[in-house]
Amino acid sequence: MKIPELKSQYVWATIMILCYILPGFVPLGTPFPMSTTTMKIYNMIQALPDDSIVVIGGSGVFAFDLESSAGTIPAIKIMAQKHIKIVNLPLATEAVQLEKYLIDASRIEKKYGGTYEYGVDWIQLPYLAGAPGALVSFLNDIKRTCPTDVYGTPLDQMPLGQRLKDYKDIVLWICPHWDFVTIIQYVTGERKIPSVSFAQSAAYSTYSPYMMTYPDKVFMTNGFLGGAQMEYLVGMKGLGHAVIDGNQVFSAVFLIFVVLGNVTWLANKEKKEDKK
Amino acid sequence: MSATLTYVRINLTRILLIVSAASALATWYFVSPEVDAIFNEINIWNINITTFTLFSGLITISLRYIRGIQQRSSDVWPFQAYALILIVAWVILGQSFGMYSDTYQTAFLSTKITLHIAILGQLIYFYVSGAYRTFRVKTLRTAALALSAVLIIICNAPWIQNTFSGVGEISYWLLNNPLTGGSRAVVITGAIGAIVLGLRTLLGLEKGAMRVTEGE
């Protein structure tokens, strides 16, 4: 029996229905495993001293970095519970918008019913061009490199800004952006500050060797799965949970199409040999 | 360009490169506030120069697009006009409301980001459609390709990891060992290449980097 080749339209329709529309309208709530690294990150943030300063920053493109936000938003929620101060440092033009999105989506500010006040509990710094040189300069002398926040207010006029001197004031660096290597190199490698990345799946496979290079200093979660794990630990359902159903279905659909492709090819190959 | 001017420009660039590189290296080997201060100062220059480059890039691309629209020499001029209108609109929006305002953020998320995410979301269709057609075990090489892809998909599928507890460990082993070896090789090769390129530039062997050939 000759099996006809599937048209691309059929493949596209199957993916759209099974991976996008179905999980979107009917959340499957499929289970997912917990990873030890995600647990370590959760415990590490919980163990940070109250009132300490964490920097969220790096370089990347918003649409890619959205995958990182699934894990970063619950992390911000944990930090807000512990009154940990947050300083956002964008090292790419679109990073400013992503970092605003992270703060808005985590609902920690007073205007969203949270407890965080701008200038006291968190600060958004302006885009700093010229990374990684700019990052090194920031770590060595924060106010000299970045004298004002994103609105142009001098750091000295804000309670949190007054506390910022150099890298010694930072207890943890969270990178919600693609370029985690620069952070590992200059923040963790040179200055021994632990760093966390809620990495995109593609970035995870590229950067995971650094977790071996700097054990218990560099931590990474894996894509939306890592985000869903963080959300589970915090007790919320966000972007990670929303995407995990599609992710689960996709992995099954992918395997089915690979098998189907091989079956089609084998069947048609036999048919051709019979004709000969 | 006169030979004298070329000579000055090349050597001035070389001196700047040597001073910058030396100041960065010095911070590694000397614990001194003065050395750190010099390096920081050069870094601040770097930030300012890069910011200026962004500004000059905006002007350069605008001039290029205006020329393209005026001459209508290629089919892309309508896109250049569209891009130019968007550039102006975003600059006005940013200047009027501020880059960190809710208005700018809403506009940014509703247009650029939504479109970008949609484009990224399309990749999955091409990926599966491509997998259906290319991961066919015709030869040993295609078998290796197909098996590698299937193995990674299986090991990273949450529903498989959840059902078979050992699969997650296999996945991490694959990432931490075979992949680490390959990644390290790439990183080390790149680093050695960067050192050699730096030395060649400082020694004047990489003439193109200092645009020395322009004067010839």
Side-chain angles (χ1 to χ4, degrees):
Chain A
M1 187 182 77
K2 188 180 178 183
I3 303 173
E5 285 285 347
L6 276 177
K7 286 183 178 177
S8 293
Q9 290 94 318
Y10 298 146
V11 180
W12 282 49
T14 311
I15 299 289
M16 188 181 285
I17 293 165
L18 292 179
C19 298
Y20 283 89
I21 297 174
L22 184 70
F25 284 99
V26 189
L28 305 171
T30 47
F32 52 85
M34 181 55 65
S35 88
T36 48
T37 311
T38 311
M39 287 290 295
K40 276 185 187 174
I41 294 169
Y42 177 79
N43 292 332
M44 186 176 65
I45 297 173
Q46 289 283 16
L48 289 176
D50 286 7
D51 209 40
S52 52
I53 297 171
V54 170
V55 174
I56 298 177
S59 167
V61 178
F62 195 122
F64 283 114
D65 295 347
L66 192 68
E67 196 174 351
S68 304
S69 67
T72 313
I73 291 165
I76 291 173
K77 281 182 177 289
I78 307 170
M79 291 193 286
Q81 286 165 5
K82 293 180 62 64
H83 305 291
I84 290 166
K85 309 302 180 196
I86 298 168
V87 176
N88 290 334
L89 177 69
L91 295 171
T93 48
E94 286 192 7
V96 183
Q97 264 58 52
L98 181 86
E99 287 160 17
K100 176 174 171 56
Y101 166 77
L102 292 172
I103 295 291
D104 287 346
S106 57
R107 295 288 190 266
I108 58 169
E109 275 192 290
K110 280 186 175 170
K111 65 178 175 181
Y112 294 118
T115 57
Y116 267 42
E117 190 182 337
Y118 185 78
V120 178
D121 302 298
W122 74 283
I123 286 177
Q124 176 67 51
L125 298 174
Y127 163 54
L128 214 55
L135 172 66
V136 173
S137 184
F138 172 83
L139 290 163
N140 290 345
D141 191 341
I142 294 175
K143 286 201 188 81
R144 175 100 172 82
T145 311
C146 228
T148 68
D149 72 347
V150 74
Y151 299 109
T153 313
L155 293 186
D156 281 330
Q157 290 180 15
M158 291 179 281
L160 178 55
Q162 288 164 5
R163 287 175 58 188
L164 297 172
K165 289 184 187 69
D166 57 28
Y167 70 92
K168 295 186 198 86
D169 300 316
I170 303 164
V171 295
L172 175 68
W173 193 291
I174 294 177
C175 177
H177 305 285
W178 175 271
D179 185 17
F180 188 36
V181 173
T182 304
I183 304 302
I184 296 171
Q185 190 176 348
Y186 298 103
V187 176
T188 306
E190 290 186 5
R191 290 166 184 83
K192 317 298 176 203
I193 302 167
S195 55
V196 171
S197 172
F198 299 102
Q200 298 96 323
S201 309
Y204 183 85
S205 57
T206 311
Y207 302 153
S208 62
Y210 290 98
M211 279 201 285
M212 296 177 78
T213 312
Y214 300 104
D216 293 326
K217 281 282 182 190
V218 170
F219 301 91
M220 291 174 75
T221 60
N222 190 357
F224 280 118
L225 175 62
Q229 290 165 342
M230 276 301 287
E231 287 170 358
Y232 175 79
L233 291 170
V234 176
M236 62 176 278
K237 284 191 175 178
L239 196 59
H241 276 75
V243 174
I244 206 77
D245 281 342
N247 191 357
Q248 302 261 37
V249 177
F250 166 74
S251 56
V253 169
F254 179 89
L255 293 174
I256 290 166
F257 272 110
V258 170
V259 171
L260 202 61
N262 277 288
V263 169
T264 308
W265 174 70
L266 281 171
N268 294 345
K269 185 186 164 196
E270 282 170 12
K271 190 83 179 171
K272 279 179 189 170
E273 282 172 358
D274 288 348
K275 274 185 182 176
K276 280 180 186 175
Chain B
M1 188 181 286
S2 72
T4 313
L5 197 59
T6 306
Y7 180 81
V8 169
R9 195 177 69 178
I10 293 162
N11 285 298
L12 190 65
T13 312
R14 195 170 288 158
I15 290 164
L16 282 172
L17 284 170
I18 290 169
V19 170
S20 305
S23 71
L25 284 173
T27 56
W28 272 91
Y29 298 105
F30 301 102
V31 181
S32 152
E34 287 78 18
V35 171
D36 286 345
I38 292 168
F39 179 55
N40 259 7
E41 195 59 41
I42 289 171
N43 257 334
I44 302 278
W45 293 4
N46 169 48
I47 295 168
N48 292 336
I49 290 165
T50 315
T51 310
F52 176 75
T53 309
L54 280 173
F55 182 69
S56 66
L58 183 71
I59 293 168
T60 310
I61 202 163
S62 299
L63 288 173
R64 184 184 155 86
Y65 284 0
I66 289 167
R67 207 178 302 124
I69 295 161
Q70 282 175 337
Q71 293 171 352
R72 289 181 173 77
S73 54
S74 67
D75 296 337
V76 297
W77 75 265
F79 300 108
Q80 290 177 331
Y82 177 60
L84 202 59
I85 291 166
L86 283 182
I87 289 170
V88 174
W90 280 108
V91 169
I92 292 170
L93 195 67
Q95 289 298 319
S96 308
F97 293 96
M99 283 278 288
Y100 210 67
S101 66
D102 290 338
T103 310
Y104 188 91
Q105 181 81 352
T106 306
F108 195 71
L109 293 181
S110 311
T111 54
K112 198 271 176 184
I113 298 305
T114 309
L115 289 168
H116 197 169
I117 290 168
I119 290 165
L120 290 177
Q122 285 181 12
L123 291 177
I124 193 170
Y125 298 113
F126 292 110
Y127 190 52
V128 176
S129 187
Y132 168 71
R133 284 168 224 294
T134 53
F135 289 159
R136 295 181 176 183
V137 188
K138 293 178 182 176
T139 62
L140 194 63
R141 279 194 289 181
T142 52
L145 183 71
L147 283 174
S148 306
V150 168
L151 191 65
I152 291 297
I153 288 285
I154 288 175
C155 290
N156 280 300
W159 58 279
I160 290 181
Q161 283 187 3
N162 208 42
T163 314
F164 308 101
S165 56
V167 172
E169 285 168 25
I170 294 171
S171 170
Y172 284 108
W173 184 88
L174 285 170
L175 287 171
N176 291 337
N177 293 283
L179 187 79
T180 302
S183 297
R184 277 193 179 151
V186 172
V187 169
I188 291 167
T189 309
I192 293 169
I195 291 167
V196 172
L197 181 67
L199 286 173
R200 283 178 61 85
T201 306
L202 292 175
L203 293 172
L205 298 170
E206 282 292 326
K207 293 181 177 179
M210 294 180 192
R211 297 174 69 191
V212 70
T213 46
E214 200 175 277
E216 290 172 352

PDB file of all heavy atoms in Angstrom, chain B residues 128-140:
ATOM      1  N   VAL B 128       8.702  20.805  12.868  1.00  0.00           N
ATOM      2  CA  VAL B 128       8.036  19.496  12.810  1.00  0.00           C
ATOM      3  C   VAL B 128       7.884  19.044  11.360  1.00  0.00           C
ATOM      4  O   VAL B 128       8.132  17.878  11.031  1.00  0.00           O
ATOM      5  CB  VAL B 128       6.668  19.545  13.524  1.00  0.00           C
ATOM      6  CG1 VAL B 128       5.940  18.227  13.385  1.00  0.00           C
ATOM      7  CG2 VAL B 128       6.854  19.867  14.987  1.00  0.00           C
ATOM      8  N   SER B 129       7.492  19.975  10.501  1.00  0.00           N
ATOM      9  CA  SER B 129       7.353  19.634   9.082  1.00  0.00           C
ATOM     10  C   SER B 129       8.702  19.168   8.522  1.00  0.00           C
ATOM     11  O   SER B 129       8.767  18.199   7.752  1.00  0.00           O
ATOM     12  CB  SER B 129       6.850  20.860   8.314  1.00  0.00           C
ATOM     13  OG  SER B 129       6.570  20.523   6.997  1.00  0.00           O
ATOM     14  N   GLY B 130       9.770  19.864   8.923  1.00  0.00           N
ATOM     15  CA  GLY B 130      11.124  19.477   8.493  1.00  0.00           C
ATOM     16  C   GLY B 130      11.520  18.121   9.063  1.00  0.00           C
ATOM     17  O   GLY B 130      12.117  17.298   8.367  1.00  0.00           O
ATOM     18  N   ALA B 131      11.165  17.885  10.327  1.00  0.00           N
ATOM     19  CA  ALA B 131      11.502  16.601  10.964  1.00  0.00           C
ATOM     20  C   ALA B 131      10.801  15.453  10.255  1.00  0.00           C
ATOM     21  O   ALA B 131      11.379  14.376  10.042  1.00  0.00           O
ATOM     22  CB  ALA B 131      11.095  16.636  12.438  1.00  0.00           C
ATOM     23  N   TYR B 132       9.556  15.676   9.865  1.00  0.00           N
ATOM     24  CA  TYR B 132       8.779  14.651   9.155  1.00  0.00           C
ATOM     25  C   TYR B 132       9.474  14.254   7.849  1.00  0.00           C
ATOM     26  O   TYR B 132       9.511  13.093   7.463  1.00  0.00           O
ATOM     27  CB  TYR B 132       7.371  15.189   8.887  1.00  0.00           C
ATOM     28  CG  TYR B 132       6.558  14.363   7.921  1.00  0.00           C
ATOM     29  CD1 TYR B 132       6.061  13.108   8.286  1.00  0.00           C
ATOM     30  CD2 TYR B 132       6.286  14.828   6.630  1.00  0.00           C
ATOM     31  CE1 TYR B 132       5.316  12.348   7.395  1.00  0.00           C
ATOM     32  CE2 TYR B 132       5.540  14.085   5.740  1.00  0.00           C
ATOM     33  CZ  TYR B 132       5.058  12.842   6.122  1.00  0.00           C
ATOM     34  OH  TYR B 132       4.333  12.096   5.234  1.00  0.00           O
ATOM     35  N   ARG B 133      10.065  15.226   7.171  1.00  0.00           N
ATOM     36  CA  ARG B 133      10.652  14.954   5.855  1.00  0.00           C
ATOM     37  C   ARG B 133      12.125  14.552   5.908  1.00  0.00           C
ATOM     38  O   ARG B 133      12.585  13.807   5.044  1.00  0.00           O
ATOM     39  CB  ARG B 133      10.511  16.201   4.968  1.00  0.00           C
ATOM     40  CG  ARG B 133       9.114  16.380   4.457  1.00  0.00           C
ATOM     41  CD  ARG B 133       8.855  17.735   3.827  1.00  0.00           C
ATOM     42  NE  ARG B 133       7.578  18.260   4.282  1.00  0.00           N
ATOM     43  CZ  ARG B 133       6.401  17.729   3.995  1.00  0.00           C
ATOM     44  NH1 ARG B 133       6.346  16.651   3.244  1.00  0.00           N
ATOM     45  NH2 ARG B 133       5.287  18.241   4.452  1.00  0.00           N
ATOM     46  N   THR B 134      12.864  15.065   6.885  1.00  0.00           N
ATOM     47  CA  THR B 134      14.324  14.840   6.859  1.00  0.00           C
ATOM     48  C   THR B 134      14.821  13.734   7.800  1.00  0.00           C
ATOM     49  O   THR B 134      15.861  13.137   7.540  1.00  0.00           O
ATOM     50  CB  THR B 134      15.094  16.130   7.213  1.00  0.00           C
ATOM     51  OG1 THR B 134      14.589  16.615   8.453  1.00  0.00           O
ATOM     52  CG2 THR B 134      14.954  17.173   6.151  1.00  0.00           C
ATOM     53  N   PHE B 135      14.099  13.478   8.882  1.00  0.00           N
ATOM     54  CA  PHE B 135      14.591  12.457   9.821  1.00  0.00           C
ATOM     55  C   PHE B 135      14.171  11.062   9.372  1.00  0.00           C
ATOM     56  O   PHE B 135      13.560  10.302  10.117  1.00  0.00           O
ATOM     57  CB  PHE B 135      14.083  12.749  11.238  1.00  0.00           C
ATOM     58  CG  PHE B 135      14.726  13.952  11.866  1.00  0.00           C
ATOM     59  CD1 PHE B 135      14.121  14.617  12.932  1.00  0.00           C
ATOM     60  CD2 PHE B 135      15.943  14.436  11.417  1.00  0.00           C
ATOM     61  CE1 PHE B 135      14.704  15.731  13.508  1.00  0.00           C
ATOM     62  CE2 PHE B 135      16.536  15.547  11.981  1.00  0.00           C
ATOM     63  CZ  PHE B 135      15.913  16.199  13.026  1.00  0.00           C
ATOM     64  N   ARG B 136      14.495  10.725   8.146  1.00  0.00           N
ATOM     65  CA  ARG B 136      14.181   9.403   7.606  1.00  0.00           C
ATOM     66  C   ARG B 136      15.469   8.595   7.536  1.00  0.00           C
ATOM     67  O   ARG B 136      16.464   9.052   6.963  1.00  0.00           O
ATOM     68  CB  ARG B 136      13.541   9.539   6.222  1.00  0.00           C
ATOM     69  CG  ARG B 136      12.210  10.244   6.327  1.00  0.00           C
ATOM     70  CD  ARG B 136      11.492  10.399   5.026  1.00  0.00           C
ATOM     71  NE  ARG B 136      10.181  11.016   5.272  1.00  0.00           N
ATOM     72  CZ  ARG B 136       9.282  11.245   4.342  1.00  0.00           C
ATOM     73  NH1 ARG B 136       9.530  10.912   3.097  1.00  0.00           N
ATOM     74  NH2 ARG B 136       8.138  11.797   4.645  1.00  0.00           N
ATOM     75  N   VAL B 137      15.410   7.423   8.115  1.00  0.00           N
ATOM     76  CA  VAL B 137      16.641   6.646   8.316  1.00  0.00           C
ATOM     77  C   VAL B 137      17.050   5.964   7.008  1.00  0.00           C
ATOM     78  O   VAL B 137      16.869   4.764   6.828  1.00  0.00           O
ATOM     79  CB  VAL B 137      16.446   5.624   9.453  1.00  0.00           C
ATOM     80  CG1 VAL B 137      17.761   4.952   9.812  1.00  0.00           C
ATOM     81  CG2 VAL B 137      15.866   6.303  10.684  1.00  0.00           C
ATOM     82  N   LYS B 138      17.606   6.771   6.111  1.00  0.00           N
ATOM     83  CA  LYS B 138      18.004   6.237   4.799  1.00  0.00           C
ATOM     84  C   LYS B 138      19.441   5.736   4.821  1.00  0.00           C
ATOM     85  O   LYS B 138      19.784   4.772   4.180  1.00  0.00           O
ATOM     86  CB  LYS B 138      17.859   7.333   3.743  1.00  0.00           C
ATOM     87  CG  LYS B 138      16.424   7.761   3.486  1.00  0.00           C
ATOM     88  CD  LYS B 138      16.382   8.883   2.464  1.00  0.00           C
ATOM     89  CE  LYS B 138      14.944   9.337   2.265  1.00  0.00           C
ATOM     90  NZ  LYS B 138      14.836  10.490   1.362  1.00  0.00           N
ATOM     91  N   THR B 139      20.302   6.457   5.525  1.00  0.00           N
ATOM     92  CA  THR B 139      21.712   6.076   5.612  1.00  0.00           C
ATOM     93  C   THR B 139      22.142   6.116   7.079  1.00  0.00           C
ATOM     94  O   THR B 139      21.371   6.516   7.949  1.00  0.00           O
ATOM     95  CB  THR B 139      22.591   7.077   4.830  1.00  0.00           C
ATOM     96  OG1 THR B 139      22.435   8.352   5.444  1.00  0.00           O
ATOM     97  CG2 THR B 139      22.199   7.157   3.361  1.00  0.00           C
ATOM     98  N   LEU B 140      23.396   5.745   7.302  1.00  0.00           N
ATOM     99  CA  LEU B 140      23.914   5.752   8.674  1.00  0.00           C
ATOM    100  C   LEU B 140      23.938   7.175   9.239  1.00  0.00           C
ATOM    101  O   LEU B 140      23.652   7.407  10.413  1.00  0.00           O
ATOM    102  CB  LEU B 140      25.334   5.167   8.677  1.00  0.00           C
ATOM    103  CG  LEU B 140      25.904   4.799  10.041  1.00  0.00           C
ATOM    104  CD1 LEU B 140      25.080   3.704  10.710  1.00  0.00           C
ATOM    105  CD2 LEU B 140      27.355   4.370   9.922  1.00  0.00           C
TER     106      LEU B 140
END
